[in-house]
Amino acid sequence: MKHICVIGTGYVGLVTATGFSDLGNHVVGVDINPERIEQLKQGIMPIYEPGLDELVDRNMRAGRLRFTTSYEEGLEEAEFVFISVGTPEGVDGEADLKYVRAAAETIAKTMKRKLIVINKSTVPVGTGDWVSDIITRAQPEPIPFAVVSCPEFLREGAAVSDFMNPDRNVFGSLDRAAAEAVAELYAPVKSPALITDIRTAEMIKYASNAFLATRISFINEISIMCEKLGADVIEVARGMGLDKRIGPQFLQAGVGFGGSCFPKDVKALAYMAQTYGTHPQLLNAVMEVNDFQRKHILLKLSDLLGSLQECVIGVLGLAFKENTDDVRESPAVSIARQLVNRGAIVRAYDPVAMENAARMLPEVEMMESAYAVAEGADAIVIATPWNEFKQLSMARLHDIMRQPNLVDGRNLYDPDMMQELGFNYRAVGRGFQGQGVNHNNGEHSS
Ligand code: NAD
Ligand code: UGA
């Protein structure tokens, strides 16, 4: 049993604090947001994450998990402190480190005993050394400490199981003993542990996210070609993924990647590259393809409807992906906003993200179901692949729409079946979409 403090109780901090308490440690979660802490004390989850509420409840009752706004209380007995505050996108794409700086300064001013400071936030390479300097300078009197980078790889919507069964954990420090002590905290989860230097650990996080984002942009670029050439991107991805060197994951074409991390992390890595005089051409292309993917959905709608002015368009899904209430950088929100900008009357439904999305989309009418969205609509866009959108009564949906135009941005339905039902159906990268190949002699038409 160890005493652990976790600074920041968002998606990463709350899952980390809860996970460590479930492993038998005594954990205090600290956040500067008093409403969030008040909610947590009452057992109300500030975020939607499957399985998390039950785990928080169990560990709070067992007296292993507490929440406070006070660093003094959080650090009183702590041997380890995790920094898991936000690192949002700054002005030119660089990571904004103001929350990390504030957390490091407050830790330095509050700590009374030897401490291992673990950075879990995604931060530019070199931040660990910078945090070390901040703490040294801000300490009223010298107290020994070590800084370890332990980047987080969890996915929203699967965060609890990712904490308990990660593919790997990475620990980077100039102080090998400190890195090993942090690795020991994770020993019960029995994942491969990589102990390395601090800059390498920081780079592993960015390189991993950028690589996953690259796979998505790659398959999205292929999907555009598939549409023109009459190939099916789902089969293409399956055929590629069977090659063990490629693997099947992260090859789903769609509306482009979103969320609080891939877009900001790809841009932050590109910014880092530019700052140090290298040219991140692949990373720039990954973002360019991703931006186009959202526009591509709008082009499909224009193709079906002509002008979107006064058209009633329904958006199914607002979260950036399924099983989360997170709408940060959500392609669905961006699509809804662009539709509003083009004069469409937009309605939307999401099983859990409507409250968050409503703040960003005041002009969009939030409905109570997918069918309410479809009633009288001129077109529907499936923007988030929630399970409940996978088996809708499509015949009913067809009958209640004013015009049966369906843009399936997540390839949830079978193109032939949708055409048989009478939909004007457009998927991403499948269902021959008109222009392209003369199959007799292979010559291309326009
Ligand atoms: P979040 O915005 O959900 O939560 C951050 C929390 O930190 C907020 O509750 C905020 O009030 C609190 N905070 C800010 N400054 C503070 C301070 N000085 N002291 C105490 N609390 C403070 O963020 P998140 O999604 O959990 O992401 C945190 C970090 O982890 C980011 O760097 C992110 O890139 C990285 N990350 C996120 C995910 C994810 O799936 N969300 C996965 C891996 C890594
Ligand atoms: C991602 C990574 O998967 C995590 O390992 C990482 O810790 C996290 O970012 C982070 O650093 O924050 P997350 O953003 O929660 O996790 O979600 P993903 O499941 O990776 O999906 C990201 C986006 O890509 C979503 O918009 C999703 O719909 C999209 N996506 C994903 C695709 O379009 N196609 C795919 O094949 C996979």
Side-chain angles (χ1 to χ4, degrees), residues 18-81:
T18 309
F20 278 124
S21 66
D22 205 50
L23 295 175
N25 300 288
H26 276 242
V27 185
V28 186
V30 178
D31 205 292
I32 46 166
N33 181 340
E35 284 157 32
R36 179 161 284 223
I37 292 300
E38 206 37 56
Q39 280 182 322
L40 284 166
K41 281 181 173 170
Q42 292 171 26
I44 301 166
M45 289 305 101
I47 53 168
Y48 173 83
E49 193 56 53
L52 187 61
D53 47 356
E54 198 191 316
L55 220 56
V56 170
D57 183 59
R58 173 155 26 108
N59 287 289
M60 281 176 77
R61 281 176 197 279
R64 289 189 297 262
L65 180 61
R66 284 183 291 135
F67 297 100
T68 178
T69 51
S70 156
Y71 273 67
E72 281 80 7
E73 192 183 333
L75 291 175
E76 197 178 354
E77 293 181 280
E79 304 145 79
F80 299 88
V81 58

Short mmCIF file of all heavy atoms in Angstrom, two decimals, residues 18-81:
data_model
loop_
_atom_site.label_atom_id
_atom_site.label_comp_id
_atom_site.label_asym_id
_atom_site.label_seq_id
_atom_site.Cartn_x
_atom_site.Cartn_y
_atom_site.Cartn_z
N THR A 18 -8.63 6.46 -9.25
CA THR A 18 -9.54 5.36 -8.91
C THR A 18 -8.85 4.02 -9.10
O THR A 18 -8.98 3.12 -8.26
CB THR A 18 -10.81 5.46 -9.79
OG1 THR A 18 -11.31 6.78 -9.70
CG2 THR A 18 -11.87 4.49 -9.33
N GLY A 19 -8.13 3.89 -10.19
CA GLY A 19 -7.43 2.64 -10.48
C GLY A 19 -6.44 2.28 -9.38
O GLY A 19 -6.43 1.15 -8.88
N PHE A 20 -5.64 3.26 -8.96
CA PHE A 20 -4.65 2.96 -7.91
C PHE A 20 -5.32 2.65 -6.57
O PHE A 20 -4.83 1.82 -5.81
CB PHE A 20 -3.65 4.11 -7.76
CG PHE A 20 -2.54 4.04 -8.77
CD1 PHE A 20 -2.27 5.10 -9.62
CD2 PHE A 20 -1.76 2.89 -8.88
CE1 PHE A 20 -1.26 5.04 -10.56
CE2 PHE A 20 -0.74 2.82 -9.83
CZ PHE A 20 -0.50 3.89 -10.67
N SER A 21 -6.45 3.31 -6.30
CA SER A 21 -7.13 3.00 -5.03
C SER A 21 -7.70 1.58 -5.10
O SER A 21 -7.65 0.84 -4.12
CB SER A 21 -8.21 4.03 -4.71
OG SER A 21 -9.25 3.99 -5.65
N ASP A 22 -8.17 1.20 -6.27
CA ASP A 22 -8.72 -0.16 -6.41
C ASP A 22 -7.62 -1.22 -6.25
O ASP A 22 -7.91 -2.36 -5.89
CB ASP A 22 -9.40 -0.30 -7.78
CG ASP A 22 -10.46 -1.39 -7.75
OD1 ASP A 22 -11.30 -1.36 -6.83
OD2 ASP A 22 -10.43 -2.29 -8.61
N LEU A 23 -6.40 -0.83 -6.52
CA LEU A 23 -5.28 -1.78 -6.34
C LEU A 23 -4.81 -1.81 -4.87
O LEU A 23 -3.82 -2.45 -4.55
CB LEU A 23 -4.10 -1.41 -7.26
CG LEU A 23 -4.37 -1.53 -8.76
CD1 LEU A 23 -3.18 -1.01 -9.56
CD2 LEU A 23 -4.67 -2.97 -9.16
N GLY A 24 -5.51 -1.06 -4.00
CA GLY A 24 -5.22 -1.15 -2.56
C GLY A 24 -4.44 0.02 -2.00
O GLY A 24 -4.10 0.02 -0.81
N ASN A 25 -4.14 1.02 -2.81
CA ASN A 25 -3.38 2.19 -2.32
C ASN A 25 -4.32 3.23 -1.71
O ASN A 25 -5.53 3.21 -1.98
CB ASN A 25 -2.61 2.82 -3.48
CG ASN A 25 -1.63 1.85 -4.10
OD1 ASN A 25 -0.61 1.53 -3.51
ND2 ASN A 25 -1.94 1.34 -5.29
N HIS A 26 -3.73 4.14 -0.96
CA HIS A 26 -4.52 5.27 -0.45
C HIS A 26 -4.29 6.46 -1.37
O HIS A 26 -3.15 6.90 -1.53
CB HIS A 26 -4.11 5.60 0.99
CG HIS A 26 -4.82 4.72 1.96
ND1 HIS A 26 -5.68 5.17 2.91
CD2 HIS A 26 -4.84 3.37 2.06
CE1 HIS A 26 -6.19 4.16 3.58
NE2 HIS A 26 -5.69 3.04 3.09
N VAL A 27 -5.36 6.95 -1.97
CA VAL A 27 -5.21 7.96 -3.01
C VAL A 27 -6.07 9.19 -2.69
O VAL A 27 -7.23 9.06 -2.28
CB VAL A 27 -5.64 7.40 -4.39
CG1 VAL A 27 -5.36 8.42 -5.49
CG2 VAL A 27 -4.93 6.07 -4.70
N VAL A 28 -5.47 10.35 -2.92
CA VAL A 28 -6.23 11.60 -2.82
C VAL A 28 -6.19 12.28 -4.19
O VAL A 28 -5.11 12.51 -4.75
CB VAL A 28 -5.63 12.56 -1.76
CG1 VAL A 28 -6.54 13.78 -1.60
CG2 VAL A 28 -5.44 11.86 -0.43
N GLY A 29 -7.36 12.57 -4.73
CA GLY A 29 -7.46 13.30 -6.00
C GLY A 29 -7.65 14.77 -5.71
O GLY A 29 -8.51 15.16 -4.92
N VAL A 30 -6.81 15.62 -6.35
CA VAL A 30 -6.88 17.06 -6.11
C VAL A 30 -7.25 17.78 -7.40
O VAL A 30 -6.69 17.47 -8.46
CB VAL A 30 -5.50 17.60 -5.63
CG1 VAL A 30 -5.54 19.12 -5.42
CG2 VAL A 30 -5.04 16.89 -4.36
N ASP A 31 -8.19 18.71 -7.30
CA ASP A 31 -8.53 19.50 -8.49
C ASP A 31 -8.81 20.94 -8.07
O ASP A 31 -9.33 21.18 -6.97
CB ASP A 31 -9.76 18.90 -9.19
CG ASP A 31 -9.81 19.23 -10.66
OD1 ASP A 31 -10.01 20.44 -11.00
OD2 ASP A 31 -9.62 18.33 -11.49
N ILE A 32 -8.46 21.89 -8.96
CA ILE A 32 -8.73 23.29 -8.64
C ILE A 32 -10.19 23.65 -8.90
O ILE A 32 -10.62 24.75 -8.57
CB ILE A 32 -7.84 24.26 -9.46
CG1 ILE A 32 -7.81 23.85 -10.92
CG2 ILE A 32 -6.44 24.37 -8.87
CD1 ILE A 32 -7.25 24.90 -11.85
N ASN A 33 -10.93 22.75 -9.51
CA ASN A 33 -12.34 23.02 -9.81
C ASN A 33 -13.21 22.56 -8.64
O ASN A 33 -13.45 21.36 -8.46
CB ASN A 33 -12.71 22.27 -11.11
CG ASN A 33 -14.15 22.51 -11.52
OD1 ASN A 33 -14.96 22.91 -10.70
ND2 ASN A 33 -14.44 22.24 -12.78
N PRO A 34 -13.70 23.52 -7.82
CA PRO A 34 -14.42 23.13 -6.61
C PRO A 34 -15.73 22.38 -6.91
O PRO A 34 -16.12 21.50 -6.16
CB PRO A 34 -14.71 24.47 -5.90
CG PRO A 34 -14.37 25.54 -6.85
CD PRO A 34 -13.59 24.99 -7.99
N GLU A 35 -16.40 22.75 -8.02
CA GLU A 35 -17.67 22.05 -8.35
C GLU A 35 -17.41 20.58 -8.62
O GLU A 35 -18.15 19.70 -8.20
CB GLU A 35 -18.31 22.67 -9.59
CG GLU A 35 -19.00 23.99 -9.32
CD GLU A 35 -19.11 24.81 -10.59
OE1 GLU A 35 -19.24 24.24 -11.68
OE2 GLU A 35 -19.05 26.05 -10.46
N ARG A 36 -16.34 20.34 -9.36
CA ARG A 36 -15.97 18.96 -9.70
C ARG A 36 -15.71 18.14 -8.43
O ARG A 36 -16.16 17.02 -8.28
CB ARG A 36 -14.72 19.01 -10.60
CG ARG A 36 -14.20 17.68 -11.02
CD ARG A 36 -13.31 17.83 -12.22
NE ARG A 36 -14.09 18.03 -13.42
CZ ARG A 36 -13.86 17.44 -14.60
NH1 ARG A 36 -12.88 16.61 -14.72
NH2 ARG A 36 -14.61 17.66 -15.64
N ILE A 37 -14.97 18.76 -7.49
CA ILE A 37 -14.63 18.05 -6.25
C ILE A 37 -15.89 17.82 -5.41
O ILE A 37 -16.09 16.74 -4.84
CB ILE A 37 -13.55 18.84 -5.46
CG1 ILE A 37 -12.22 18.81 -6.23
CG2 ILE A 37 -13.37 18.28 -4.04
CD1 ILE A 37 -11.63 17.43 -6.48
N GLU A 38 -16.76 18.83 -5.38
CA GLU A 38 -18.02 18.68 -4.62
C GLU A 38 -18.83 17.53 -5.20
O GLU A 38 -19.35 16.68 -4.48
CB GLU A 38 -18.80 20.01 -4.69
CG GLU A 38 -19.74 20.26 -3.52
CD GLU A 38 -19.20 19.77 -2.17
OE1 GLU A 38 -18.09 20.18 -1.73
OE2 GLU A 38 -19.90 18.95 -1.56
N GLN A 39 -18.92 17.48 -6.54
CA GLN A 39 -19.65 16.38 -7.20
C GLN A 39 -19.05 15.03 -6.82
O GLN A 39 -19.76 14.11 -6.44
CB GLN A 39 -19.54 16.51 -8.73
CG GLN A 39 -20.47 17.53 -9.35
CD GLN A 39 -20.31 17.53 -10.86
OE1 GLN A 39 -19.20 17.39 -11.39
NE2 GLN A 39 -21.41 17.69 -11.57
N LEU A 40 -17.73 14.96 -6.91
CA LEU A 40 -17.06 13.68 -6.63
C LEU A 40 -17.29 13.24 -5.18
O LEU A 40 -17.53 12.07 -4.91
CB LEU A 40 -15.56 13.79 -6.93
CG LEU A 40 -15.21 13.76 -8.41
CD1 LEU A 40 -13.76 14.20 -8.65
CD2 LEU A 40 -15.42 12.36 -8.99
N LYS A 41 -17.26 14.21 -4.26
CA LYS A 41 -17.50 13.87 -2.85
C LYS A 41 -18.89 13.27 -2.66
O LYS A 41 -19.11 12.44 -1.81
CB LYS A 41 -17.35 15.12 -1.97
CG LYS A 41 -15.90 15.47 -1.71
CD LYS A 41 -15.81 16.70 -0.82
CE LYS A 41 -14.38 16.96 -0.39
NZ LYS A 41 -14.22 18.26 0.26
N GLN A 42 -19.82 13.73 -3.52
CA GLN A 42 -21.19 13.20 -3.43
C GLN A 42 -21.38 11.95 -4.30
O GLN A 42 -22.49 11.47 -4.47
CB GLN A 42 -22.19 14.27 -3.87
CG GLN A 42 -22.27 15.44 -2.94
CD GLN A 42 -23.11 16.56 -3.55
OE1 GLN A 42 -23.97 16.32 -4.38
NE2 GLN A 42 -22.84 17.78 -3.13
N GLY A 43 -20.30 11.49 -4.90
CA GLY A 43 -20.39 10.28 -5.73
C GLY A 43 -20.97 10.54 -7.11
O GLY A 43 -21.37 9.62 -7.82
N ILE A 44 -21.03 11.85 -7.51
CA ILE A 44 -21.54 12.16 -8.86
C ILE A 44 -20.35 12.27 -9.81
O ILE A 44 -19.40 13.01 -9.55
CB ILE A 44 -22.33 13.50 -8.85
CG1 ILE A 44 -23.50 13.41 -7.86
CG2 ILE A 44 -22.83 13.86 -10.25
CD1 ILE A 44 -24.13 14.76 -7.54
N MET A 45 -20.40 11.51 -10.93
CA MET A 45 -19.27 11.51 -11.86
C MET A 45 -19.29 12.77 -12.72
O MET A 45 -20.31 13.08 -13.35
CB MET A 45 -19.34 10.30 -12.80
CG MET A 45 -19.05 8.96 -12.15
SD MET A 45 -17.47 8.91 -11.31
CE MET A 45 -17.99 9.14 -9.64
N PRO A 46 -18.18 13.51 -12.79
CA PRO A 46 -18.15 14.70 -13.64
C PRO A 46 -18.00 14.35 -15.13
O PRO A 46 -18.14 15.20 -15.99
CB PRO A 46 -16.93 15.47 -13.14
CG PRO A 46 -16.07 14.44 -12.49
CD PRO A 46 -16.95 13.33 -12.02
N ILE A 47 -17.65 13.09 -15.42
CA ILE A 47 -17.49 12.64 -16.81
C ILE A 47 -18.21 11.31 -16.97
O ILE A 47 -18.45 10.63 -15.98
CB ILE A 47 -16.00 12.43 -17.19
CG1 ILE A 47 -15.32 11.50 -16.17
CG2 ILE A 47 -15.27 13.76 -17.29
CD1 ILE A 47 -13.96 11.00 -16.59
N TYR A 48 -18.53 10.98 -18.22
CA TYR A 48 -19.14 9.67 -18.48
C TYR A 48 -18.03 8.72 -18.88
O TYR A 48 -17.32 8.95 -19.85
CB TYR A 48 -20.16 9.80 -19.61
CG TYR A 48 -20.72 8.47 -20.05
CD1 TYR A 48 -21.77 7.87 -19.37
CD2 TYR A 48 -20.17 7.79 -21.14
CE1 TYR A 48 -22.27 6.64 -19.75
CE2 TYR A 48 -20.66 6.55 -21.53
CZ TYR A 48 -21.71 5.99 -20.83
OH TYR A 48 -22.19 4.76 -21.21
N GLU A 49 -17.85 7.67 -18.10
CA GLU A 49 -16.83 6.68 -18.45
C GLU A 49 -17.35 5.33 -17.93
O GLU A 49 -17.51 5.16 -16.71
CB GLU A 49 -15.49 7.05 -17.80
CG GLU A 49 -14.28 6.30 -18.31
CD GLU A 49 -14.04 6.40 -19.80
OE1 GLU A 49 -13.97 7.51 -20.34
OE2 GLU A 49 -13.92 5.34 -20.45
N PRO A 50 -17.65 4.39 -18.84
CA PRO A 50 -18.27 3.14 -18.41
C PRO A 50 -17.49 2.45 -17.29
O PRO A 50 -16.28 2.29 -17.36
CB PRO A 50 -18.26 2.29 -19.69
CG PRO A 50 -18.28 3.28 -20.80
CD PRO A 50 -17.49 4.46 -20.30
N GLY A 51 -18.24 2.07 -16.22
CA GLY A 51 -17.65 1.31 -15.11
C GLY A 51 -16.99 2.17 -14.04
O GLY A 51 -16.65 1.67 -12.96
N LEU A 52 -16.82 3.47 -14.31
CA LEU A 52 -16.04 4.31 -13.38
C LEU A 52 -16.81 4.62 -12.09
O LEU A 52 -16.25 4.57 -11.00
CB LEU A 52 -15.61 5.61 -14.08
CG LEU A 52 -14.66 6.51 -13.31
CD1 LEU A 52 -13.36 5.82 -13.00
CD2 LEU A 52 -14.38 7.80 -14.09
N ASP A 53 -18.12 4.92 -12.22
CA ASP A 53 -18.89 5.32 -11.03
C ASP A 53 -18.89 4.23 -9.96
O ASP A 53 -18.68 4.50 -8.78
CB ASP A 53 -20.32 5.76 -11.39
CG ASP A 53 -21.01 4.79 -12.33
OD1 ASP A 53 -20.37 3.81 -12.77
OD2 ASP A 53 -22.20 4.99 -12.62
N GLU A 54 -19.05 3.00 -10.40
CA GLU A 54 -19.08 1.88 -9.46
C GLU A 54 -17.74 1.75 -8.71
O GLU A 54 -17.70 1.55 -7.50
CB GLU A 54 -19.34 0.63 -10.31
CG GLU A 54 -19.82 -0.57 -9.56
CD GLU A 54 -19.77 -1.79 -10.47
OE1 GLU A 54 -20.17 -1.68 -11.65
OE2 GLU A 54 -19.28 -2.83 -10.00
N LEU A 55 -16.66 1.92 -9.48
CA LEU A 55 -15.32 1.77 -8.91
C LEU A 55 -15.01 2.91 -7.93
O LEU A 55 -14.42 2.70 -6.86
CB LEU A 55 -14.31 1.79 -10.06
CG LEU A 55 -13.12 0.84 -9.98
CD1 LEU A 55 -13.58 -0.58 -9.82
CD2 LEU A 55 -12.28 0.98 -11.26
N VAL A 56 -15.42 4.13 -8.28
CA VAL A 56 -15.21 5.29 -7.40
C VAL A 56 -15.98 5.05 -6.11
O VAL A 56 -15.43 5.19 -5.00
CB VAL A 56 -15.68 6.60 -8.08
CG1 VAL A 56 -15.70 7.76 -7.08
CG2 VAL A 56 -14.78 6.95 -9.25
N ASP A 57 -17.22 4.65 -6.24
CA ASP A 57 -18.08 4.43 -5.09
C ASP A 57 -17.45 3.39 -4.14
O ASP A 57 -17.33 3.61 -2.95
CB ASP A 57 -19.46 3.97 -5.60
CG ASP A 57 -20.43 3.79 -4.46
OD1 ASP A 57 -20.67 4.78 -3.75
OD2 ASP A 57 -20.93 2.66 -4.27
N ARG A 58 -17.05 2.26 -4.73
CA ARG A 58 -16.50 1.17 -3.92
C ARG A 58 -15.26 1.63 -3.13
O ARG A 58 -15.12 1.37 -1.95
CB ARG A 58 -16.14 0.00 -4.84
CG ARG A 58 -15.42 -1.11 -4.12
CD ARG A 58 -15.54 -2.48 -4.73
NE ARG A 58 -15.80 -2.59 -6.14
CZ ARG A 58 -14.89 -3.00 -7.04
NH1 ARG A 58 -13.66 -3.28 -6.68
NH2 ARG A 58 -15.23 -3.13 -8.32
N ASN A 59 -14.38 2.36 -3.81
CA ASN A 59 -13.12 2.73 -3.16
C ASN A 59 -13.29 3.89 -2.19
O ASN A 59 -12.56 3.97 -1.19
CB ASN A 59 -12.06 2.99 -4.22
CG ASN A 59 -11.60 1.69 -4.84
OD1 ASN A 59 -10.91 0.90 -4.19
ND2 ASN A 59 -12.01 1.41 -6.07
N MET A 60 -14.27 4.77 -2.46
CA MET A 60 -14.55 5.83 -1.47
C MET A 60 -15.11 5.20 -0.20
O MET A 60 -14.72 5.55 0.91
CB MET A 60 -15.53 6.85 -2.06
CG MET A 60 -14.84 7.83 -3.00
SD MET A 60 -16.00 8.97 -3.77
CE MET A 60 -16.30 10.11 -2.44
N ARG A 61 -16.02 4.25 -0.37
CA ARG A 61 -16.60 3.57 0.81
C ARG A 61 -15.52 2.84 1.60
O ARG A 61 -15.59 2.77 2.83
CB ARG A 61 -17.65 2.55 0.36
CG ARG A 61 -18.97 3.18 0.01
CD ARG A 61 -19.94 2.12 -0.50
NE ARG A 61 -21.04 2.75 -1.19
CZ ARG A 61 -22.09 3.27 -0.58
NH1 ARG A 61 -22.17 3.21 0.74
NH2 ARG A 61 -23.05 3.84 -1.26
N ALA A 62 -14.55 2.29 0.89
CA ALA A 62 -13.48 1.54 1.57
C ALA A 62 -12.47 2.48 2.23
O ALA A 62 -11.53 2.03 2.89
CB ALA A 62 -12.78 0.63 0.57
N GLY A 63 -12.64 3.78 2.01
CA GLY A 63 -11.75 4.77 2.65
C GLY A 63 -10.39 4.88 1.96
O GLY A 63 -9.46 5.46 2.51
N ARG A 64 -10.29 4.33 0.75
CA ARG A 64 -8.99 4.41 0.05
C ARG A 64 -8.92 5.57 -0.93
O ARG A 64 -7.86 5.87 -1.46
CB ARG A 64 -8.74 3.10 -0.74
CG ARG A 64 -8.43 1.90 0.10
CD ARG A 64 -8.00 0.74 -0.78
NE ARG A 64 -9.06 0.32 -1.67
CZ ARG A 64 -9.88 -0.70 -1.44
NH1 ARG A 64 -9.76 -1.41 -0.33
NH2 ARG A 64 -10.83 -1.02 -2.30
N LEU A 65 -10.07 6.19 -1.21
CA LEU A 65 -10.11 7.24 -2.24
C LEU A 65 -10.83 8.47 -1.70
O LEU A 65 -11.97 8.37 -1.22
CB LEU A 65 -10.85 6.69 -3.47
CG LEU A 65 -11.00 7.61 -4.68
CD1 LEU A 65 -9.64 8.02 -5.24
CD2 LEU A 65 -11.83 6.91 -5.77
N ARG A 66 -10.14 9.62 -1.79
CA ARG A 66 -10.75 10.89 -1.32
C ARG A 66 -10.50 11.97 -2.37
O ARG A 66 -9.58 11.85 -3.18
CB ARG A 66 -10.06 11.35 -0.03
CG ARG A 66 -10.46 10.59 1.21
CD ARG A 66 -9.78 11.19 2.43
NE ARG A 66 -8.35 10.97 2.47
CZ ARG A 66 -7.46 11.90 2.78
NH1 ARG A 66 -7.83 13.15 3.03
NH2 ARG A 66 -6.17 11.62 2.81
N PHE A 67 -11.30 13.02 -2.30
CA PHE A 67 -11.12 14.13 -3.23
C PHE A 67 -11.09 15.45 -2.47
O PHE A 67 -11.79 15.61 -1.48
CB PHE A 67 -12.26 14.15 -4.26
CG PHE A 67 -12.27 12.92 -5.11
CD1 PHE A 67 -13.16 11.87 -4.83
CD2 PHE A 67 -11.38 12.76 -6.15
CE1 PHE A 67 -13.16 10.71 -5.59
CE2 PHE A 67 -11.37 11.60 -6.92
CZ PHE A 67 -12.26 10.58 -6.63
N THR A 68 -10.27 16.37 -2.94
CA THR A 68 -10.13 17.66 -2.25
C THR A 68 -9.64 18.72 -3.24
O THR A 68 -9.06 18.40 -4.28
CB THR A 68 -9.11 17.53 -1.08
OG1 THR A 68 -8.95 18.81 -0.46
CG2 THR A 68 -7.74 17.07 -1.55
N THR A 69 -9.86 19.97 -2.86
CA THR A 69 -9.26 21.06 -3.65
C THR A 69 -7.92 21.49 -3.01
O THR A 69 -7.24 22.37 -3.54
CB THR A 69 -10.18 22.30 -3.68
OG1 THR A 69 -10.54 22.60 -2.34
CG2 THR A 69 -11.43 22.07 -4.51
N SER A 70 -7.57 20.88 -1.88
CA SER A 70 -6.41 21.33 -1.13
C SER A 70 -5.15 20.50 -1.44
O SER A 70 -5.12 19.29 -1.20
CB SER A 70 -6.74 21.25 0.37
OG SER A 70 -5.56 21.13 1.13
N TYR A 71 -4.12 21.17 -1.95
CA TYR A 71 -2.84 20.48 -2.19
C TYR A 71 -2.25 20.01 -0.86
O TYR A 71 -1.61 18.95 -0.80
CB TYR A 71 -1.85 21.42 -2.89
CG TYR A 71 -1.93 21.44 -4.41
CD1 TYR A 71 -3.05 21.96 -5.06
CD2 TYR A 71 -0.89 20.95 -5.19
CE1 TYR A 71 -3.11 21.99 -6.45
CE2 TYR A 71 -0.94 20.98 -6.59
CZ TYR A 71 -2.05 21.50 -7.20
OH TYR A 71 -2.12 21.53 -8.57
N GLU A 72 -2.45 20.80 0.22
CA GLU A 72 -1.90 20.42 1.53
C GLU A 72 -2.45 19.04 1.91
O GLU A 72 -1.69 18.14 2.29
CB GLU A 72 -2.29 21.44 2.63
CG GLU A 72 -1.46 22.71 2.64
CD GLU A 72 -1.93 23.71 1.57
OE1 GLU A 72 -2.98 23.45 0.93
OE2 GLU A 72 -1.23 24.71 1.35
N GLU A 73 -3.77 18.91 1.79
CA GLU A 73 -4.41 17.64 2.15
C GLU A 73 -3.94 16.52 1.22
O GLU A 73 -3.63 15.41 1.66
CB GLU A 73 -5.94 17.82 2.07
CG GLU A 73 -6.71 16.69 2.69
CD GLU A 73 -8.22 16.88 2.51
OE1 GLU A 73 -8.68 18.04 2.39
OE2 GLU A 73 -8.93 15.86 2.46
N GLY A 74 -3.87 16.84 -0.07
CA GLY A 74 -3.47 15.82 -1.04
C GLY A 74 -2.05 15.32 -0.83
O GLY A 74 -1.76 14.14 -1.00
N LEU A 75 -1.15 16.24 -0.44
CA LEU A 75 0.27 15.87 -0.36
C LEU A 75 0.71 15.46 1.05
O LEU A 75 1.86 15.05 1.24
CB LEU A 75 1.14 17.04 -0.84
CG LEU A 75 1.05 17.36 -2.34
CD1 LEU A 75 1.87 18.61 -2.66
CD2 LEU A 75 1.55 16.19 -3.19
N GLU A 76 -0.22 15.58 2.00
CA GLU A 76 0.14 15.36 3.41
C GLU A 76 0.94 14.07 3.62
O GLU A 76 2.02 14.08 4.22
CB GLU A 76 -1.13 15.35 4.26
CG GLU A 76 -0.84 15.54 5.74
CD GLU A 76 -2.13 15.58 6.55
OE1 GLU A 76 -3.23 15.58 5.95
OE2 GLU A 76 -2.01 15.57 7.78
N GLU A 77 0.42 12.96 3.09
CA GLU A 77 1.10 11.69 3.31
C GLU A 77 1.74 11.13 2.04
O GLU A 77 2.29 10.03 2.04
CB GLU A 77 0.10 10.67 3.84
CG GLU A 77 -0.43 10.99 5.22
CD GLU A 77 -1.41 9.93 5.70
OE1 GLU A 77 -2.57 9.98 5.29
OE2 GLU A 77 -0.97 9.04 6.45
N ALA A 78 1.59 11.87 0.92
CA ALA A 78 1.95 11.29 -0.38
C ALA A 78 3.44 11.01 -0.53
O ALA A 78 4.29 11.81 -0.15
CB ALA A 78 1.48 12.23 -1.49
N GLU A 79 3.72 9.84 -1.13
CA GLU A 79 5.09 9.51 -1.54
C GLU A 79 5.22 9.74 -3.06
O GLU A 79 6.31 9.92 -3.59
CB GLU A 79 5.40 8.04 -1.26
CG GLU A 79 5.20 7.60 0.18
CD GLU A 79 4.68 6.18 0.27
OE1 GLU A 79 5.49 5.24 0.12
OE2 GLU A 79 3.47 6.00 0.47
N PHE A 80 4.07 9.65 -3.75
CA PHE A 80 4.03 9.82 -5.20
C PHE A 80 2.97 10.87 -5.53
O PHE A 80 1.89 10.84 -4.96
CB PHE A 80 3.60 8.51 -5.89
CG PHE A 80 4.53 7.36 -5.65
CD1 PHE A 80 4.37 6.53 -4.53
CD2 PHE A 80 5.58 7.09 -6.52
CE1 PHE A 80 5.22 5.46 -4.31
CE2 PHE A 80 6.44 6.02 -6.30
CZ PHE A 80 6.26 5.20 -5.19
N VAL A 81 3.28 11.77 -6.46
CA VAL A 81 2.25 12.69 -6.94
C VAL A 81 2.21 12.65 -8.46
O VAL A 81 3.23 12.83 -9.13
CB VAL A 81 2.43 14.13 -6.38
CG1 VAL A 81 3.77 14.72 -6.76
CG2 VAL A 81 1.31 15.04 -6.89
#
